[in-house]
Amino acid sequence: MSKAPIRVAVTGAAGQIGYALLPRIASGQMFGADQPVILHMIEIPNEKAMAALKGVAMELEDCAFPLLRDMVLTSDPNVGFKDVNWACLVGAKPRGPGMERNDLLKDNGAIFVGQGRAIAQHAAKDVRVAVVGNPCNTNAWICMQAAKGVPKERFTAMTRLDQNRAQAQLAARAKVAITDVTGALIWGNHSATQVPDFYNAKIKGKSAFDVIQDEAWLKGDFLKTVQQRGAAIIAARGVSSAMSAANALVDHVRDLHMATPAGEYRSVCVCSDGRYGIPEGLLFSYPIRSDGKGGWSVVQGLTLNDFLKEKIAATVKELEGEREIVKHLIA
Ligand code: NAD
Ligand code: LMR
């Protein structure tokens, strides 16, 4: 017997990431090849955006995806989040050249208040939320605060793109296959203060630090390349990453939906309960394992040396500063 469809909301569905993401969800790459989906595609109440959304829906129809059971097109969050099991919050302004992601807080923060409220009122009881719109950690914090009654552990923000970037850089440097790099990990904020951890990452099962044997590169170019990759893509393309961002979101949700293989973890921003000395309540990127039944846990016992501790302190400080800027949005 075929499974009941999962309802997946995507905000910003007519945007760049939406265009790269929706066919991946509809083709089964997010929830599995036997899992039907219903897409709730949410845009702003603007004639141009809604016309573009209609075009995206026409293209999805033309793909004739066997798993795509229905589509809901709307600019009303109360309709868009009705009964959804997953909410992918992508819709927000992207940064342009010369901006940091938290320069977007003023423009984007308020979006997540209304969406959080609508999710609390209308989504399915098991709803889970993945925030991509930048600055995603703090937007997820806003959404979590606004969505009264929805358990805090349901809110995540995306550092999977940074993890994938770190994995790719380490593989290229060590001249190994991407699958030879495991345990690549991002601590903290999806921003220039993020901490790509090359001590706990492994290459063919050995510490990446020991295999690469180039501390200056790891602490210098590697760190900077991963931290600044988003800006480098904006400089090259004129617009921010979309294909790799959509791919990372597929990875993020799929890996929370399925059980994490033994001995592995993924970078996911979740609400801190104080683990690793991170202040409670911050949406912080940690090593996460999923139980495949909707639950997750922070992997404990990873070693944080003085270098990592110092970098983590800086990313915590930035997240606390961002929270200070937006806390007035939450009455
Ligand atoms: P885009 O401008 O191409 O598309 C954004 C879409 O969101 C637009 O169609 C816009 O109309 C829509 N939108 C705006 N406000 C909305 C709202 N309140 N409800 C519903 N839809 C709304 O931008 P994009 O390139 O798709 O990027 C979207 C966001 O994702 C940006 O904030 C960007 O910075 C962020 N991003 C995050 C990561 C990450 O790793 N976390 C990676 C890439 C991009
Ligand atoms: C990225 O990391 O590519 C995105 O967050 C977009 C950006 O503004 O850098």
Side-chain angles (χ1 to χ4, degrees), residues 94-95 101 134 161-162 165 190 229-231 233-234 240-241:
R95 67 172 162 158
R101 295 180 186 98
N134 276 320
L161 178 53
D162 310 287
R165 287 167 173 166
H190 172 65
R229 190 66 160 189
I233 286 166
I234 292 168
S240 67
S241 64

Side-chain angles (χ1 to χ4, degrees), residues 12 15-17 43-44 90-91 93 111 115 132 134 158 190 241:
Q16 288 203 87
I17 296 176
E43 260 297 338
I44 49 172
V90 177
K93 201 169 148 181
I111 294 173
Q115 292 184 350
V132 173
N134 276 320
M158 189 172 93
H190 172 65
S241 64

